[in-house]
Amino acid sequence: MRRQAMVMATALLLAGTAAAQTAGAEAAKVHPELWPTAKSPTAISDAKTEARIDALIRKMTVEQKVGQLIQADISTITPKDLETYPLGSILAGGNSGPNGNERSSAADWAKLVGDFRAVSLRPQANGIAVPIIFGVDAVHGHNNIPGATLFPHNIGLGAARDAELIQRIGAVTAAEIAASGIEWTFAPTLAVPQDLRWGRSYEGYGADPKLVAEYGKAMTLGLQGALVAGRSVSEQHVAATAKHFLADGGTFEGKDQGDAKIDEKELIAKHAMGYPAAIDAGALTVMASFSSWQGVKHHGNKGLLTDVLKDKLGFAGFVVGDWNGHGQVAGCSVTDCAQSINAGLDMFMAPDSWKGLYATTLKQAKDGVIPAARLDDAVRRILRVKYKLGLFAEGQVNRGNVSAIGTPDHLAVAREAVAKSLVLLKNNGNILPIKPGAKVLVAGPGADNMAMQSGGWTISWQGTDVVRSDFPNGQTIWEALGKAIGDAGGKATLSASGSFTEKPDVAIMVFGEMPYAEFQGDVPTLDYQPSEAADLATLKTLKAAGIPVVALFLSGRPMFTNPEINAADAFVAAWLPGSQGAGIADVIVAGKDGKTARGFTGTLPFAWPADAKSPVENPQFAVGYGLKYGDKTVVPPLSEKLGVDISAALNVENFFSGGRARTPWTLTVVDAGGARPVESPPVSSPNGLLATRSVDVRAQEDGKSFVWSGPASLNLSGPYADLSRQLNNSFALRIDWRIDAVGGSPVKIALGGAAFDISALVKAAPIGQVSTIKVPLRCFADAGANLRQVDYALTVQGDKGLAATLLNTNVEAVGENLPCPPAAK
């Protein structure tokens, strides 16, 4: 699912002409005879259950039926609301937790689910009571709960090439989800990413559709268990969701929620193979993708949702939407979209739009805009799954054994998965494994960083706020390496900067991508650290000191790292391993006997690029590559040519959106004590005069809240950018923000060092509402800014009492003659 940005841009669909839309619809026409055949197991239901469903549907009011089609998020609904609105489902998005606490315990979750379910099971006036079904994004373990078992993200599991392990991971994950009283997870992801610039690439198992199909079957069986006729899914299992249907990994240029501009044969061959396998294995639900095929949004594509998925693929469960994804369908809004239901969507995911959507959908059902047969079919599918999960009062399956969270046997499976996910790209001089008795320097920003090794979808949606204490039963990579090295008679020293007082025998440099999830993880090229390559500098410094270096790279995708590979003697792709750092030590640190607990067995699930271009046309290391101990392969010096014009690919116009600074720009908070990157906790300026946190405004974590308690500023800085073209074309600096409090001191903004006083604009802005200011670039140029070399795209300086939430900052063309604000004093 998403805990992603809510309603994303739909320009291809909504801004095109009617003729273009007609052409897109024709191109998106399906031919079911070309598709593979599948069928949900007969055990998904039985004659007795179907008879119960028949009787229930006959008695249900249209209000109750429509309610079944709508799912709300816990951040916007209470159990009491179900007394008035008989909704069929509740979800907890990536930033939602019981009582607003993202770090709630399993017991807190179980109580919350129980509270919602208890209200839904109270018979209404007609004697009908239909239990809610509760869903959550548990995509690499039950990642919502501190102390749960956290597995490597899917890309790492793909490197393991072990379907039996995947099924065991599914079973462990299901047991822990069920332990918190929840019966439905939005997994597995069956995407086959084609362009690794996509921020969700790590949710894909690999580039091989056959591997995705094999894993889709294994994970479905692990999560649900094999379906048995006449029996409910057990108390240790949960419903799976095959997602995102379809080709979410095939969008043009890897754009999240974008358009797959491919023909039907490629759509089937590359992107559909996981679904027959998951359906045959009994997947109870399928999630529609945000994305489009040939310009037509999947949430409104009847050919795919009905003619293919339900008819040709024989899917008998229900289709759920993604986070307000129905609002992207042509002619729809988040509160009005009969088109989606008529196309074959069975349940809207309407986290915050549920109330308005319920009202309009009810009217559409009563008016016949949604035919009664289509309404009843959607309700039947939802009830079928609820019966199979044992949610009804008769034969109810009781989940909520909180003692199953993070048990030692579960953690052992995660540790095994970490070890099997590692891929050895280079081991010149057999520097690995680390020898017993060695003096080892462990360096780099990822060495002692639970957030970096866990990645997105951990505790919160983007995973940026994860701290060590969230997983007391885990180990950071440093902790694991330090213990293993010490146990082997060696000495380990931690230095994030790579500095040392005593020269080590070997250094292990742990570095890589900061946490991200969908949308916010999209990048313009595959170049790692396109500006200020600090990690490469550390590697080179260690090498220059005559120290053998092991590079341990944390990432959600293969990236262009030839310079880093050249600067290291050994290079390990460690992906996003999760909380069990010991799995890494098991492979790279030898014990006193000179042997490691495990060897390298992982191989690349995607090609590793030889340059920064994507899709990867010129792999440095092919799919399936992976060295093992004892291999004689010596990796020669690699080309460090980027293969793309980084200056052309460099983002010089969009500085901040989606809740974060856009690459290559960096957001920092500054006061008299110095500067600090916002992405790194603690999220306040050094002297604490400017505090920031991620907030939801229009979508999840799409804003950064800034609260001043003294003189301080926020800065968006980056490499020198040439804005002269934009200056010559009458562009302006645009800031979309919400003023939350004004304060009494001047507010100043600057670009390229030229500053203006915008206090009057701030005071005129409506408090608590999103507003926009625009300052022409010519104002900054006239004030002395060199727009050919802009390193500070935005500075906002304020003082005590000011509070604002930043949503977007960019430069854009304006068609009006805007005045310049007063110059700052």
Side-chain angles (χ1 to χ4, degrees):
M1 204 199 59
R2 56 300 46 316
R3 261 355 29 97
Q4 49 282 42
M6 277 201 314
V7 179
M8 305 300 299
T10 55
L12 282 173
L13 197 57
L14 302 180
T17 64
Q21 292 185 21
T22 300
E26 182 63 28
K29 183 178 180 180
V30 300
H31 302 83
E33 68 274 10
L34 299 178
W35 292 71
T37 299
K39 190 174 181 61
S40 293
T42 56
I44 195 172
S45 189
D46 55 72
K48 183 179 179 181
T49 299
E50 292 301 310
R52 286 178 174 175
I53 294 173
D54 287 338
L56 196 53
I57 289 177
R58 283 195 297 269
K59 295 178 182 178
M60 291 173 73
T61 64
V62 67
E63 288 81 3
Q64 291 168 327
K65 291 178 181 180
V66 168
Q68 290 302 300
L69 276 54
I70 296 177
Q71 180 185 66
D73 186 80
I74 60 172
S75 63
T76 67
I77 192 171
T78 66
K80 185 172 179 56
D81 287 326
L82 295 182
E83 295 176 359
T84 304
Y85 300 92
L87 303 193
S89 182
I90 305 295
L91 85 147
N95 290 334
S96 299
N99 305 310
N101 181 12
E102 289 181 344
R103 290 174 166 79
S104 291
S105 67
D108 291 336
W109 281 95
K111 182 181 184 304
L112 178 72
V113 176
D115 289 345
F116 276 108
R117 183 156 294 127
V119 177
S120 69
L121 285 171
R122 294 176 193 161
Q124 295 190 327
N126 60 351
I128 298 298
V130 181
I132 56 99
I133 180 172
F134 196 105
V136 70
D137 284 289
V139 297
H140 64 132
H142 197 5
N143 42 264
N144 306 279
I145 295 181
T149 303
L150 204 62
F151 292 97
H153 271 291
N154 287 351
I155 192 170
L157 300 183
R161 310 267 175 171
D162 189 339
E164 186 273 337
L165 172 63
I166 300 306
Q167 187 163 339
R168 284 191 283 130
I169 289 172
V172 168
T173 302
E176 299 201 7
I177 296 168
S180 61
I182 298 170
E183 64 276 349
W184 182 19
T185 179
F186 305 128
T189 296
L190 303 179
V192 185
Q194 302 297 301
D195 191 323
L196 298 176
R197 291 175 292 181
W198 187 38
R200 304 190 76 162
S201 292
Y202 65 76
E203 295 186 49
Y205 292 119
D208 182 359
K210 292 181 180 178
L211 176 69
V212 174
E214 184 181 15
Y215 273 25
K217 174 184 177 180
M219 184 59 78
T220 298
L221 289 172
L223 290 168
Q224 295 186 173
L227 301 185
V228 178
R231 290 190 199 168
S232 299
V233 171
S234 80
E235 71 277 2
Q236 295 182 338
H237 289 96
V238 299
T241 306
K243 71 177 191 181
H244 306 85
F245 191 81
L246 186 65
D248 49 337
T251 61
F252 181 63
E253 296 185 339
K255 298 296 184 184
D256 191 51
Q257 305 184 22
D259 186 24
K261 301 178 180 182
I262 57 178
D263 63 30
E264 189 173 6
K265 290 183 178 179
E266 183 177 348
L267 182 70
I268 296 168
K270 287 186 177 178
H271 300 285
M273 291 300 99
Y275 291 91
I279 291 168
D280 286 342
L284 292 173
T285 71
V286 169
M287 182 179 289
S289 177
F290 272 123
S291 60
S292 311
W293 175 49
Q294 295 291 357
V296 178
K297 285 290 180 180
H298 292 308
H299 278 67
N301 193 321
K302 184 176 185 292
L304 287 175
L305 295 183
T306 298
D307 299 344
V308 169
L309 178 59
K310 293 180 176 179
D311 294 344
K312 187 61 185 291
L313 297 184
F315 176 61
F318 72 82
V319 180
V320 64
D322 209 335
W323 191 273
N324 275 337
H326 56 277
Q328 299 186 22
V329 174
C332 287
S333 70
V334 296
T335 57
D336 183 353
C337 196
Q339 294 95 312
S340 279
I341 298 299
N342 289 338
L345 193 77
D346 299 308
M347 180 182 288
F348 293 111
M349 183 181 287
D352 58 350
S353 59
W354 60 270
K355 192 174 290 186
L357 184 62
Y358 174 80
T360 56
T361 306
L362 179 60
K363 184 177 187 303
Q364 289 159 350
K366 288 182 175 179
D367 291 348
V369 176
I370 298 174
R374 172 76 271 266
L375 177 64
D376 285 356
D377 175 63
V379 173
R380 174 179 296 278
R381 289 169 175 273
I382 294 166
L383 297 180
R384 182 180 292 146
V385 172
K386 290 183 176 183
Y387 271 113
K388 196 63 185 176
L389 290 170
L391 302 182
F392 282 86
E394 63 272 25
Q396 187 171 11
V397 173
N398 294 313
R399 297 174 176 88
N401 177 19
V402 297
S403 65
I405 299 289
T407 61
D409 58 322
H410 290 177
L411 298 173
V413 177
R415 181 171 178 170
E416 175 188 349
V418 173
K420 289 183 174 181
S421 72
L422 303 178
V423 180
L424 182 61
L425 300 185
K426 178 180 180 180
N427 194 23
N428 289 6
N430 294 318
I431 196 68
L432 287 176
I434 302 299
K435 309 302 185 287
K439 292 184 295 184
V440 183
L441 175 69
V442 181
D448 197 30
N449 192 318
M450 187 62 77
M452 280 186 67
Q453 70 186 60
S454 300
W457 291 109
T458 308
I459 302 299
S460 63
W461 176 35
Q462 296 291 324
T464 55
D465 59 348
V466 170
V467 294
R468 172 66 183 87
S469 58
D470 286 329
F471 296 96
N473 50 11
Q475 316 85 34
T476 65
I477 294 170
W478 149 249
E479 290 170 338
L481 293 177
K483 182 179 187 305
I485 292 164
D487 289 347
K491 178 184 177 182
T493 303
L494 174 67
S495 171
S497 67
S499 61
F500 55 87
T501 54
E502 180 183 6
K503 185 177 179 180
D505 298 322
V506 63
I508 301 174
M509 173 74 175
V510 188
F511 63 103
E513 294 186 291
M514 295 301 293
Y516 58 83
E518 61 202 276
F519 180 54
Q520 298 192 22
D522 289 1
V523 293
T525 77
L526 293 183
D527 186 28
Y528 176 65
Q529 287 193 332
S531 62
E532 301 180 11
D535 296 332
L536 177 60
T538 303
L539 288 166
K540 288 183 173 180
T541 298
L542 291 168
K543 282 290 289 181
I547 301 168
V549 179
V550 176
L552 198 65
F553 188 59
L554 302 173
S555 72
R557 54 194 146 206
M559 303 196 77
F560 176 63
T561 51
N562 280 7
E564 288 80 8
I565 294 173
N566 286 338
D569 298 278
F571 193 98
V572 179
W575 314 113
L576 301 170
S579 63
Q580 300 304 299
I584 294 175
D586 287 343
V587 176
I588 72 171
V589 179
K592 288 183 177 179
D593 61 358
K595 299 178 181 179
T596 59
R598 292 182 180 272
F600 281 100
T601 58
T603 60
L604 290 177
F606 295 96
W608 200 276
D611 54 38
K613 289 186 290 189
S614 185
V616 177
E617 299 173 353
N618 178 31
Q620 189 67 63
F621 305 105
V623 172
Y625 175 90
L627 300 177
K628 296 177 173 57
Y629 287 136
D631 286 349
K632 306 294 186 181
T633 302
V634 174
V635 176
L638 306 177
S639 169
E640 297 188 5
K641 294 182 179 179
L642 289 169
V644 296
D645 182 357
I646 288 293
S647 63
L650 191 65
N651 164 30
V652 298
E653 294 186 353
N654 298 300
F655 311 130
F656 183 96
S657 65
R660 70 177 179 94
R662 310 310 298 182
T663 303
W665 304 97
T666 300
L667 179 62
T668 57
V669 284
V670 182
D671 61 20
R676 176 171 286 134
V678 166
E679 287 77 8
S680 304
V683 284
S684 61
S685 54
N687 287 348
L689 300 181
L690 180 53
T692 181
R693 63 187 180 92
S694 297
V695 296
D696 301 348
V697 180
R698 296 168 173 155
Q700 286 192 309
E701 290 192 6
D702 64 337
K704 285 285 186 189
S705 168
F706 297 89
V707 178
W708 279 258
S709 57
S713 65
L714 68 90
N715 291 332
L716 279 163
S717 61
Y720 284 122
D722 184 356
L723 295 180
S724 58
R725 181 183 65 85
Q726 289 81 359
L727 171 64
N728 294 335
N729 285 278
S730 301
F731 276 51
L733 172 68
R734 174 180 177 142
I735 303 173
D736 296 309
W737 58 1
R738 185 184 68 198
I739 302 301
D740 300 312
V742 174
S745 300
V747 181
K748 305 172 185 178
I749 64 167
L751 180 149
F756 291 93
D757 189 327
I758 60 166
S759 302
L761 295 175
V762 170
K763 290 178 181 178
I767 299 297
Q769 298 180 33
V770 175
S771 60
T772 299
I773 66 169
K774 297 179 183 179
V775 179
L777 291 185
R778 62 174 171 78
C779 299
F780 298 102
D782 292 346
N786 180 3
L787 267 66
R788 291 188 179 277
Q789 288 188 311
V790 175
D791 54 353
Y792 280 84
L794 175 69
T795 297
V796 179
Q797 182 179 344
D799 208 330
K800 184 177 181 180
L802 177 64
T805 298
L806 184 63
L807 280 87
N808 175 75
T809 303
N810 65 299
V811 292
E812 66 177 25
V814 292
E816 51 190 318
N817 185 23
L818 299 172
C820 298
K825 296 180 181 180

